[in-house]
């Protein structure tokens, strides 16, 4: 098995007659910081939707941590280690910042059985998968009666989850906002909260869909520094969608450029910048605008 | 004074039963934004399954603790399964369809259950008549709790009007007090309902499942992308709601002694109204709405006329919705345009 955390092979996504994504291929390894750019409607968000299981690719394969996930449901794909944020912010608006993160952390606490064991069973034969379901259920119901009885273990777990969520807020510079409702946060904080929430699911690969959209230049620059720090701190693979070419060029090691669903260039920032097709795609967009 | 006390007791007893049913409406609405009109009928099925269980257990079990526990358990399991089936095969395939489709399906299931139970299906199996569907006639629910007086309160009676008093008659001390009896089954029923509501409260607000449920209620697509098994959360929500309805069905049958197939339609509608009054989707609201509605009805029946009962229930609904469209404890949802 390769050390690729996320591998996309020739993924194509059609909506009726429209080929929103065409033979898209990509590999993300631990510690990678990759960029995905392209003009409006190029298919960037569609690529994320295909990777995270929102859509099943029409053809092609997606592998997360070595497991083929085409047609698997989003929550299973997430549990294999893939998390994302959304271009149009989709926080739980009526929950506090802390609770937004706790939802993600809680959904993934598995104190009874190790992630490895559960993952192995889920990938296994029919009988093993059934076994995984029973073990998973046991875990859930254990939580129920422990909560009703208010056992020490339950309070401990709750405290652990709160602490973990608190740490993630701190990393994202949101500690002071923990108890505010998500909908009342300033825009930039909402974007960072989305990242904190995604990190709560304890991913190996993080997909960021225009995390700097709507921020001012200063905030954008800070965020890019932060993203790089996240990559190092959590040894994540990160795939970053960003509209602003300059920004991506600044931090990404390799960049994939999409236009009309086609991959028109892959390479280092310098290579991509010099690629005539890329220049044309972006100039074309500028001309239309 | 005595009358008022009696009405408060009755109202609370009725209110807790409404509340158990209202919780099912509100939880399912919370996760799916669906009014599950079949929910009241699940409660009716719960009452009948309890009836059947008590019947099978026979006289030996009646009045014993384990007999009563078994009756509840069988009904809870059966209705939990029924709730799961309804969600899995009727609602889940329609989840991404327009909401009206699921709503009409819900009404269809409600009719299927309430009218289906009016059929009498009694095939002979191995020489014995086995009742599969009970038919429309009301049936008397067996006394799974042997009635006994829990306490008898002696409340001062209102002084009789002077012209009614016969000065010649000797004063009878018994006339100075009115007896209010609180039955053991009223207390037991009240305690069971409170315990169930308390348990639910813990599940919804303290556990992983509860947090997942609330996340699904806010945005099920995002919840899924955060690793929450949305299908399982929704299925469990239905099963929990149905289990509460099963308990409500039996408690109602203990209180009213007669059960019939349209029971769920009537009581279900009231419970739905209670959930809306409390703010649909809100767990505490459902309990508050249910108790408020039941007390309101009881006072009207007591001090005006029982024929006003339903009119007042819906009048109460209209007044609440006019003053607080989101219900007593509901959140204001900004309309997305
Ligand atoms: N569910 C869908 N059904 C039909 N067409 C879709 C769907 N999702 C996306 N598309 C189409 O696919 C194309 C690519 O859209 P996508 O959102 O992936 O672009 P993008 O690169 O993220 O653009 P932007 O920079 O504006 O976010 C667009 O033409 C869009 O209209
Ligand atoms: Mg996009």
């Amino acid at each position: 098995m390769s050390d690729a955390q996320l591998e996309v092979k020739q993924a194509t996504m059609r909506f009726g007659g429209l080929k929103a994504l065409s033979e898209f291929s990509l590999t993300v390894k631990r510690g990678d910081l990759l960029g995905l750019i392209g003009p409006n409607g190029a298919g960037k968000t569609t690529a994320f939707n295909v990777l995270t299981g929102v859509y099943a690719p029409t053809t092609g394969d997606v592998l997360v941590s070595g497991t083929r996930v085409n047609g698997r449901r989003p929550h299973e794909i997430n549990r294999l280690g893939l998390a994302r944020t959304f271009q149009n912010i989709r926080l739980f608006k009526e929950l506090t910042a802390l609770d937004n993160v706790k939802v993600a952390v809680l959904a993934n606490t598995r104190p009874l059985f190790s992630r490895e064991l559960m993952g192995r069973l889920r990938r296994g034969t029919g009988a093993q998968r059934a076994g995984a379901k029973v073990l998973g259920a046991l875990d859930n119901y254990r939580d129920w009666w422990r909560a009703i009885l208010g056992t020490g273990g339950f309070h401990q777990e709750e405290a652990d989850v709160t602490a973990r969520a608190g740490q993630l807020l701190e990393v994202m510079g949101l500690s002071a906002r923990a108890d505010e409702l998500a909908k009342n946060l300033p825009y930039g904080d909402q974007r960072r909260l989305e990242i904190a929430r995604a990190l709560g699911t304890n991913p190996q690969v993080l997909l960021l869909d225009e995390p700097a959209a709507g921020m001012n230049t200063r905030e954008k620059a800070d965020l890019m520094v932060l993203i790089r720090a996240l990559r190092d701190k959590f040894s994540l693979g990160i795939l970053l969608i960003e509209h602003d070419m300059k920004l991506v060029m600044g931090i990404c090691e390799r960049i994939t450029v999409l236009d009309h669903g086609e991959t028109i260039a892959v390479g280092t920032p310098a290579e991509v910048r010099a690629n005539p097709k890329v220049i044309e795609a972006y100039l074309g967009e500028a001309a239309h605008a | 004074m005595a009358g008022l006390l009696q009405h408060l007791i009755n109202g609370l007893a009725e209110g807790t039963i409404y509340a158990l049913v209202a919780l099912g409406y509100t939880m399912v609405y919370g996760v799916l934004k669906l009014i599950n009109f079949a929910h009241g009928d699940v409660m009716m099925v719960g009452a009948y399954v309890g009836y059947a269980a008590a019947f099978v257990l026979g006289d030996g079990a009646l009045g014993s603790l384990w007999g009563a526990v078994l009756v509840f358990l069988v009904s809870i399991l059966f209705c939990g399964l029924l709730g799961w089936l309804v969600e899995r095969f009727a609602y889940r395939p329609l989840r991404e369809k327009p909401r009206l489709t699921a709503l009409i399906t819900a009404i269809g299931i409600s009719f299927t259950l309430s009218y289906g139970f009016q059929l009498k299906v009694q095939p002979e199996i191995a020489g014995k008549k086995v009742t599969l569907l009970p038919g429309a006639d009301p049936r008397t629910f067996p006394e799974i709790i042997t009635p006994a007086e829990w306490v008898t309160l002696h409340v001062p009676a209102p002084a009789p009007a002077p012209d009614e008093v016969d000065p010649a008659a000797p004063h009878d001390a018994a006339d100075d007090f009115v007896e209010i009896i609180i039955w053991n089954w009223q207390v037991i029923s009240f305690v069971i309902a409170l315990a169930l509501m308390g348990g639910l409260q813990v599940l919804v607000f303290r556990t992983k499942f509860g947090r997942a449920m609330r996340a699904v209620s806010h945005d099920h697509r995002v919840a899924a992308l955060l690793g929450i098994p949305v299908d399982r959360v929704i299925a469990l929500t239905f099963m929990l709601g149905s289990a509460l309805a099963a308990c409500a069905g039996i408690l109602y049958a203990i209180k009213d002694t007669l059960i019939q197939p349209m029971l769920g339609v009537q009581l279900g509608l009231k419970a739905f109204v209670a959930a809306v009054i409390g703010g649909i989707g809100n767990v505490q609201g459902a309990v508050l709405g249910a108790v408020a509605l039941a007390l309101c009805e009881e006072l009207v029946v007591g001090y005006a006329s029982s024929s006003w009962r339903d009119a007042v229930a819906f009048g109460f609904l209209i007044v609440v919705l006019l003053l607080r469209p989101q219900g007593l404890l509901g959140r204001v949802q900004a309309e997305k345009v």
Side-chain angles (χ1 to χ4, degrees):
Chain A
M1 207 175 83
S2 71
D3 57 348
Q5 305 285 356
L6 170 67
E7 211 174 348
V8 192
K9 297 177 184 166
Q10 309 276 316
T12 296
M13 186 72 221
R14 283 177 188 278
F15 296 111
L18 176 79
K19 228 185 201 179
L21 192 65
S22 176
E23 313 216 325
F24 177 72
S25 294
L26 177 94
T27 303
V28 184
K29 298 196 180 81
R30 185 184 292 272
D32 278 350
L33 180 40
L34 308 181
L36 183 60
I37 66 172
N40 274 321
K44 306 181 294 291
T45 299
T46 301
F48 273 21
N49 285 336
V50 167
L51 300 186
T52 53
V54 175
Y55 306 136
T58 315
T59 59
D61 282 324
V62 180
L63 286 86
V64 179
S65 309
T67 308
R68 187 168 170 276
V69 297
N70 309 27
R72 288 281 193 98
R73 286 174 300 174
H75 80 266
E76 297 175 298
I77 297 178
N78 171 271
R79 288 187 177 187
L80 288 168
L82 190 62
R84 71 175 288 183
T85 65
F86 300 87
Q87 179 174 0
N88 47 342
I89 299 173
R90 289 178 75 171
L91 291 167
F92 301 118
K93 295 192 193 70
E94 307 289 336
L95 297 186
T96 63
L98 184 68
D99 277 340
N100 264 276
V101 183
K102 281 174 81 173
V103 164
V105 175
L106 270 182
N108 285 272
T109 38
R110 291 251 156 238
L112 257 192
F113 313 104
S114 72
R115 265 178 102 94
E116 288 71 35
L117 172 70
M118 295 299 283
R120 195 142 33 84
L121 289 177
R122 286 209 185 89
R123 282 190 293 270
T125 63
Q128 283 174 327
R129 279 206 297 277
K133 276 196 175 164
V134 174
L135 293 189
L138 268 182
D139 211 348
N140 278 319
Y141 306 129
R142 189 178 75 131
D143 182 43
W144 286 23
W145 57 258
R146 286 200 323 171
I148 287 174
L149 298 179
T151 65
F154 177 78
H155 292 301
Q156 184 56 48
E157 186 179 308
E158 179 73 11
D160 291 348
V161 166
T162 308
R164 170 88 185 134
Q167 280 165 12
L168 291 172
L169 285 181
E170 193 182 334
V171 169
M172 297 310 297
L174 292 167
S175 292
R177 304 274 190 187
D179 296 324
E180 281 185 48
L181 292 186
K183 65 176 177 188
N184 295 337
L185 295 179
Y187 199 74
D189 287 353
Q190 293 197 13
R191 288 243 174 252
R192 285 202 299 277
L193 180 55
E194 277 231 334
I195 300 178
R197 186 177 66 174
L199 288 171
T201 67
N202 203 9
Q204 270 125 55
V205 176
L206 181 60
L207 309 181
L208 301 175
D209 197 344
E210 303 205 23
M215 292 183 175
N216 63 36
T217 322
R218 173 73 210 246
E219 284 176 318
K220 281 187 183 184
D222 288 348
L223 183 68
M224 292 304 142
V225 173
L226 184 54
I227 287 174
R228 204 184 322 212
L230 290 180
R231 187 260 315 255
D232 298 334
K233 186 173 167 65
F234 298 101
S235 50
L236 291 169
I238 294 182
L239 179 59
L240 172 70
I241 294 181
E242 180 48 61
H243 222 69
D244 187 334
M245 265 236 268
K246 244 189 263 153
L247 222 54
V248 193
M249 302 274 173
I251 68 162
C252 293
E253 288 120 21
R254 288 175 72 77
I255 294 172
T256 300
V257 190
L258 289 178
D259 188 23
H260 297 297
E262 308 276 347
T263 305
I264 57 171
V266 184
T268 62
E271 287 165 1
V272 164
R273 197 175 352 217
N275 189 314
K277 280 195 201 158
V278 177
I279 296 168
E280 194 186 322
Y282 272 83
L283 281 181
E285 191 192 36
H288 283 300
Chain B
M1 173 62 206
L4 182 64
L5 191 61
Q6 185 70 63
H7 292 312
L8 289 180
I9 292 169
N10 294 350
L12 271 182
E14 184 93 356
T16 45
I17 294 178
Y18 282 176
L20 288 180
V21 185
L23 282 167
Y25 279 106
T26 235
M27 286 196 297
V28 165
Y29 184 85
V31 293
L32 280 187
K33 304 291 171 282
L34 166 74
I35 309 289
N36 178 17
F37 276 114
H39 186 63
D41 301 285
V42 171
M43 185 213 70
M44 175 275 293
V45 173
Y48 271 99
V49 172
Y51 174 93
F55 186 81
V56 170
L57 284 174
D59 289 345
L62 292 185
S64 72
L65 177 65
W66 64 268
V69 169
L70 261 178
V71 166
F72 271 95
L73 270 186
V74 168
S75 180
I76 285 173
L77 290 178
F78 191 95
C79 287
L81 182 69
L82 179 64
W84 180 80
L85 284 173
V86 168
E87 193 279 324
R88 179 67 188 80
F89 295 103
Y91 298 144
R92 194 182 295 182
L94 303 176
R95 204 177 293 159
E96 303 299 325
K97 300 280 188 306
R99 217 164 280 162
L100 190 60
T101 321
L103 195 67
I104 297 199
T105 307
I107 294 173
I109 296 168
S110 168
F111 278 26
T112 308
L113 290 175
S114 55
Y115 288 95
F117 268 64
Q118 294 186 34
L119 299 172
K120 202 162 198 158
V121 179
Q122 292 183 311
E124 283 211 5
I125 299 176
K128 268 180 89 179
K129 220 161 73 167
V130 178
T131 307
L132 293 182
L133 290 173
D137 298 333
R139 288 178 180 240
T140 308
F141 198 79
E143 284 180 345
I144 59 172
I145 299 173
T146 313
E149 292 177 18
W150 187 63
V151 286
T152 309
L153 301 175
H154 295 275
V155 180
D163 53 331
E164 283 174 17
V165 181
D166 177 0
H171 182 76
D172 182 356
D175 287 346
D176 292 346
F177 292 96
V178 178
E179 278 193 355
I180 294 179
I181 300 171
I182 301 181
W183 293 93
N184 61 342
W185 55 263
Q186 286 178 317
V187 178
I188 293 171
S189 161
F190 190 69
V191 169
I192 291 178
L194 279 192
L196 289 172
M197 286 184 253
L200 186 75
Q201 186 78 8
V202 172
L203 285 191
V204 172
F205 291 98
R206 313 272 317 263
T207 65
K208 278 190 275 183
F209 165 74
R211 234 185 275 266
M213 190 173 149
R214 283 180 294 144
V216 169
S217 142
H218 285 289
D219 188 335
H220 68 91
R221 290 194 184 81
V222 171
L225 288 162
L226 291 172
I228 292 170
V230 173
D231 284 341
R232 196 205 293 161
V233 169
I234 291 175
L236 274 174
T237 304
F238 267 86
M239 290 167 73
L240 267 182
S242 303
L244 292 183
C247 296
I250 296 179
L251 294 181
Y252 178 84
I254 291 173
K255 179 171 90 71
D256 239 51
T257 62
L258 279 189
I259 58 175
Q260 41 88 15
M262 294 308 278
L263 172 77
V265 176
Q266 296 153 5
L267 218 133
L269 191 62
K270 286 290 171 58
F272 170 59
V273 168
V276 174
I277 287 174
I280 189 128
N282 183 303
V283 169
Q284 289 107 337
V287 176
L288 180 67
V291 173
L293 179 67
L295 283 175
C296 185
E297 283 186 350
E298 182 64 33
L299 292 177
V300 167
V301 172
Y303 292 108
S305 149
S306 60
S307 50
W308 280 93
R309 185 185 183 119
D310 293 353
V312 164
F314 290 98
F316 187 32
L317 173 70
I318 292 169
V319 170
V320 169
L321 290 187
L322 282 176
L323 297 178
R324 265 185 82 81
Q326 72 274 31
L328 293 176
L329 298 185
R331 277 193 311 259
V332 192
Q333 292 278 343
E335 193 67 44
K336 284 196 194 102
V337 193

